[in-house]
Amino acid sequence: MPSETTLPFTFNIVPSLESILDKYDNHIARNLSAMKGQYQDRAAYEAKLTEDDPVLYEVYEVSRPPVAGELLMGISIVRPGKVGNEYYMTKGHFHTVLETSEMYYCLRGAGFMVMETPEGDWAVEALKPGTVLYVPPRWAHRSVNTGDQENLVTFFTYPGNAGHDYGTIERQGFRKIVMDHQGNPEIADNPRWMPADVRR
Ligand SMILES: [Fe+2]
């Protein structure tokens, strides 16, 4: 007799609930205060934080055992907004097991996925409803909501053993940033980017 975790199951993405899952095990909400050092305009960040500590994004996860044969799944919801001219975004991470990939499917909103490898490659891909994005092994990834009012909602799935390395991005940032330039999103070099081995 299989245990409950080995039985097939279904869940639904409910459009009326802004595409939130009707079944999930874990809910994460990240506030502005969790993004210290990630935004270019430090003064704008501090000023905003003295007024409020808004939720920038949420994740609803369907947990599975953290082993290679499993797939974790969930929904990421990045809120619209900016810190200075830089859009609300996720913390971004490498997978602890670098040789693991991830798939995203955009359900709502508009934005970008900013990506890079430890070897120095970078990529920024646009996300809109219907876009499927494959993030190959070794690519760190961060989603950015460039919409004025709408949430950026993506469904994701990745191997159960992948893990999250947030620390590397917290130290060095991403090579590329997405800024609002006169009302349009613009991809720019991150003037604060620094490889981990230089900063240490
Ligand atoms: Fe990931």
Side-chain angles (χ1 to χ4, degrees):
M1 187 70 188
S3 73
E4 195 179 330
T5 59
T6 62
L7 292 172
F9 62 93
T10 65
F11 57 87
N12 297 284
I13 299 166
V14 186
S16 60
L17 293 176
E18 292 212 319
S19 305
I20 293 172
L21 304 178
D22 66 352
K23 191 177 89 174
Y24 56 89
D25 308 301
N26 198 18
H27 172 227
I28 299 161
R30 295 252 199 250
N31 295 68
L32 183 65
S33 55
M35 299 291 287
K36 191 168 176 58
Q38 292 298 305
Y39 283 98
Q40 299 305 303
D41 190 336
R42 300 285 159 96
Y45 177 85
E46 294 300 334
K48 201 174 177 75
L49 205 51
T50 58
E51 291 169 17
D52 193 11
D53 188 13
V55 170
L56 300 199
Y57 66 99
E58 294 175 85
V59 178
Y60 292 85
E61 284 181 329
V62 177
S63 297
R64 296 295 302 167
V67 297
E70 293 278 358
L71 291 173
L72 285 93
M73 296 161 284
I75 291 279
S76 163
I77 303 171
V78 186
R79 306 250 175 256
K82 285 178 282 190
V83 176
N85 288 326
E86 200 171 359
Y87 300 101
Y88 283 3
M89 59 191 181
T90 62
K91 286 181 81 131
H93 57 267
F94 285 95
H95 289 166
T96 310
V97 178
L98 264 180
E99 302 300 335
T100 53
S101 58
E102 185 154 353
M103 188 279 287
Y104 283 84
Y105 179 58
C106 182
L107 296 157
R108 293 167 77 99
F112 291 90
M113 190 72 77
V114 177
M115 296 167 281
E116 67 183 52
T117 68
E119 289 72 40
D121 296 312
W122 65 270
V124 179
E125 293 289 343
L127 298 172
K128 62 181 193 300
T131 301
V132 177
L133 169 68
Y134 180 63
V135 182
R138 305 187 74 77
W139 288 79
H141 38 287
R142 153 181 286 167
S143 33
V144 180
N145 183 357
T146 58
D148 282 339
Q149 296 178 352
E150 207 180 2
N151 291 333
L152 174 66
V153 184
T154 50
F155 176 79
F156 60 80
T157 183
Y158 61 96
N161 66 323
H164 293 97
D165 165 16
Y166 292 106
T168 301
I169 295 300
E170 282 173 359
R171 285 191 299 275
Q172 73 190 38
F174 278 82
R175 287 176 170 82
K176 298 291 173 180
I177 53 177
V178 186
M179 307 286 283
D180 177 349
H181 180 69
Q182 298 176 348
N184 292 308
E186 188 175 82
I187 297 157
D189 288 332
N190 178 358
R192 294 181 184 275
W193 184 84
M194 196 173 289
D197 56 347
V198 171
R199 182 163 291 190
R200 277 193 204 111

